[in-house]
Amino acid sequence: MPTVAFLGLGAIGRPMAARLAAASDISLVVWNRTAERARAFVAASGARHAANPADAARGADVVITCFPVSADVEAILDGADGLLAGLASDALLVDCTSGDPATSRRIAARLADHGVGFLDAPVSGGTIGAEQGTLTVMVGGDAALLDRARPVLEAFGKKIVHCGDVGAGDALKAVNNALLAVHVWSTAEGLAALTKAGVKADVALDVINASSGRSNASMNLFPERVLTRAFPRTFRLALLDKDVGIAAGVAREQKVPAPLLQLTADLFRVAHNALGEEADHVEAVKVIEEWAGVVIER
Ligand code: NDP
């Protein structure tokens, strides 16, 4: 029975860890910065509560991290309570943070000095996909390490894809989310203009969703979250701002002209600054509504 340590019981990490806790062939240890959240998780799941990252890593075959940014992972490597103090030399760190390629490459190099393997393995599919075990996992790093990790990742992932070297998963995830951001923003601009022009938003979406302008934003996010004015908080706008910034950075690093990605990064920074740390990503629509002086509703 492999021992898996899961660190970071946030909006997506908690349901991912719950899938691991429910797997009969995995022994689970959890750690969370705010201990109260870990205590609540342990009470409901029977997992072991580790005192710190080193304690979580000690005896673990696979350690999974899921924090806001790669720098949060890098920051818990060192010190007496840090991951490196507990990781065995044949262990594997799988980072499910939607991270940035450069920091992931640095972390991989640090771990390699200690004989520890590293995979960047961000996920997509949202909190519902995590609950249902249907996430897509995009993996960067050694394919042989992924073979070792795959049985563990299958607890929450349905489509698990090897994307390339360390950082490839991060880069792909960032570009995917930049496309999400473009679709949310452009759909909001279009619907704001149509609303002012006298076309009802639900009529517009009905037509767009049967036509070539449709996207996940138009088919799911707008009908379920914007037109209903529900705006559930499942994925923070702050995190999408971070993702689009990473995508724009990948384009710059590769010297690929990408004005739309750069502009989208700026627009989501504006929305993040205006709406704060706790707003959901779909609430970016409210900035456009304010600019336009309309509400996109049924
Ligand atoms: P949340 O903000 O809900 O949770 C973040 C988690 O990381 C919490 O457990 C938090 O602990 C912990 N954390 C924050 N900062 C630190 C730190 N400096 N050191 C240690 N732990 C820290 O984020 P999500 O769970 O939504 O997202 C996690 C990652 O997954 C992000 O990279 C995000 O982009 C990605 N993602 C999220 C999706 C979603 O639908 N939510 C979908 C796909 C990817 P504490 O409890 O103490 O605050």
Side-chain angles (χ1 to χ4, degrees):
M1 185 188 281
T3 297
V4 176
F6 197 101
L7 291 79
L9 301 169
I12 193 115
R14 192 188 40 73
M16 289 165 71
R19 297 286 308 183
L20 290 163
S24 57
D25 54 349
I26 288 173
S27 168
L28 184 68
V29 183
V30 296
W31 176 81
N32 193 63
R33 181 182 62 177
T34 304
E36 188 47 49
R37 293 208 173 105
R39 276 196 283 274
F41 181 87
V42 164
S45 69
R48 181 172 82 79
H49 182 189
N52 52 53
D55 181 32
R58 214 161 277 128
D61 303 291
V62 177
V63 174
I64 301 177
T65 41
C66 191
F67 299 149
V69 298
S70 296
D72 298 331
V73 182
E74 198 171 31
I76 60 153
L77 292 181
D78 295 309
D81 291 344
L83 277 180
L84 283 168
L87 279 163
S89 62
D90 57 351
L92 178 56
L93 176 62
V94 179
D95 183 20
C96 291
T97 303
S98 299
D100 72 273
T103 310
S104 284
R105 285 192 289 268
R106 259 196 333 264
I107 294 169
R110 289 285 320 280
L111 294 178
D113 290 342
H114 295 77
V116 176
F118 176 83
L119 297 170
D120 51 302
V123 300
S124 72
T127 51
I128 290 174
E131 281 162 24
Q132 296 175 343
T134 57
L135 293 175
T136 297
V137 190
M138 42 212 107
V139 183
D142 185 343
L145 291 179
L146 174 55
D147 289 344
R148 267 172 58 197
R150 191 178 285 274
V152 172
L153 301 183
E154 281 171 346
F156 50 75
K158 188 168 172 200
K159 186 176 174 73
I160 300 169
V161 183
H162 184 245
C163 306
D165 295 338
V166 170
D170 289 336
L172 178 42
K173 170 67 186 176
V175 168
N176 175 76
N177 278 22
L179 299 180
L180 161 69
V182 167
H183 293 152
V184 167
W185 198 277
S186 56
T187 304
E189 287 187 359
L191 291 181
L194 285 169
T195 301
K196 287 201 110 167
V199 181
K200 288 191 178 320
D202 52 356
V203 171
L205 283 175
D206 186 36
V207 171
I208 289 167
N209 288 337
S211 307
S212 49
R214 66 182 178 268
S215 65
N216 179 54
S218 69
M219 295 181 80
N220 297 307
L221 298 178
F222 277 71
E224 292 166 12
R225 300 176 176 218
V226 180
L227 268 60
T228 58
R229 310 308 290 172
F231 293 108
R233 292 185 165 177
T234 61
F235 174 45
R236 292 189 297 120
L237 175 59
L239 295 172
L240 186 55
D241 171 21
K242 171 257 311 181
D243 291 335
V244 191
I246 294 170
V250 169
R252 268 197 309 277
E253 195 181 300
Q254 298 305 323
K255 303 193 168 30
V256 170
L260 184 56
L261 290 186
Q262 310 296 340
L263 174 62
T264 307
D266 283 347
L267 291 170
F268 275 77
R269 177 56 50 91
V270 167
H272 174 187
N273 288 343
L275 298 169
E277 293 307 307
E278 297 309 319
D280 185 72
H281 66 299
V282 179
E283 291 182 76
V285 167
K286 292 176 180 173
V287 171
I288 296 145
E289 289 179 331
E290 198 184 319
W291 290 351
V294 288
V295 174
I296 300 168
E297 59 190 346
R298 276 205 186 93

